[in-house]
Amino acid sequence: MRDTYDDLRGIDSRLDVGMIEADYTTLVGQAQVDFDRIDGTVATGGSCAAYTQLDQALTQYTAASQYWNGCIADYSCTVSETELNGWWSTASDELDTIDSAGISSLASSGT
């Protein structure tokens, strides 16, 4: 779980300074690859909560990626920063929940 957590925290941090859509999509894709390596069926207790929060954060980043990519492909679309910021803010809140619950330390325990 630690790899996914670090990937998502990296996205959150990079968004603070800005990035282009192609870089964003690549980072979200890497986070998905790392998340897919987690065996969620063996997560229990705090690690189960961390797994759920990671999934929810990744879902938000993925929704933003799909929207942003789709809007770029549609020449008549104007990207709404409000929509993107909504997804990004929700994802960041999910990661903050992991931190505030002390679960981020579980994510590094090899679970």
Side-chain angles (χ1 to χ4, degrees), residues 29-40:
Q30 182 58 53
Q32 183 68 59
V33 167
D34 286 338
F35 183 79
D36 288 344
R37 291 182 182 141
I38 301 169
D39 184 357

Side-chain angles (χ1 to χ4, degrees), residues 2 24 29 32 38 50 54 83-84 87 97 100 109 111:
R2 187 64 190 195
Y24 177 77
Q32 183 68 59
I38 301 169
L54 289 173
E83 286 200 50
L84 288 175
W87 284 306
T97 298
S100 66
S109 67
T111 310

Side-chain angles (χ1 to χ4, degrees), residues 8-90:
L8 296 177
R9 270 294 173 209
I11 293 168
D12 188 51
S13 181
R14 296 267 316 268
L15 286 170
D16 290 341
V17 296
M19 75 174 83
I20 63 172
E21 184 272 340
D23 291 345
Y24 177 77
T25 299
T26 298
L27 292 174
V28 171
Q30 182 58 53
Q32 183 68 59
V33 167
D34 286 338
F35 183 79
D36 288 344
R37 291 182 182 141
I38 301 169
D39 184 357
T41 63
V42 298
T44 60
S47 63
C48 182
Y51 177 82
T52 299
Q53 298 303 129
L54 289 173
D55 184 34
Q56 292 172 359
L58 182 57
T59 297
Q60 295 300 308
Y61 283 136
T62 299
S65 179
Q66 291 169 343
Y67 165 77
W68 197 357
N69 191 330
C71 198
I72 287 173
D74 179 0
Y75 295 113
S76 64
C77 179
T78 301
V79 175
S80 168
E81 288 184 35
T82 302
E83 286 200 50
L84 288 175
N85 285 327
W87 284 306
W88 294 338
S89 176
T90 301

Side-chain angles (χ1 to χ4, degrees), residues 95-106:
L95 297 174
D96 290 344
T97 298
I98 291 171
D99 294 338
S100 66
I103 300 171
S104 61
S105 62
L106 292 173

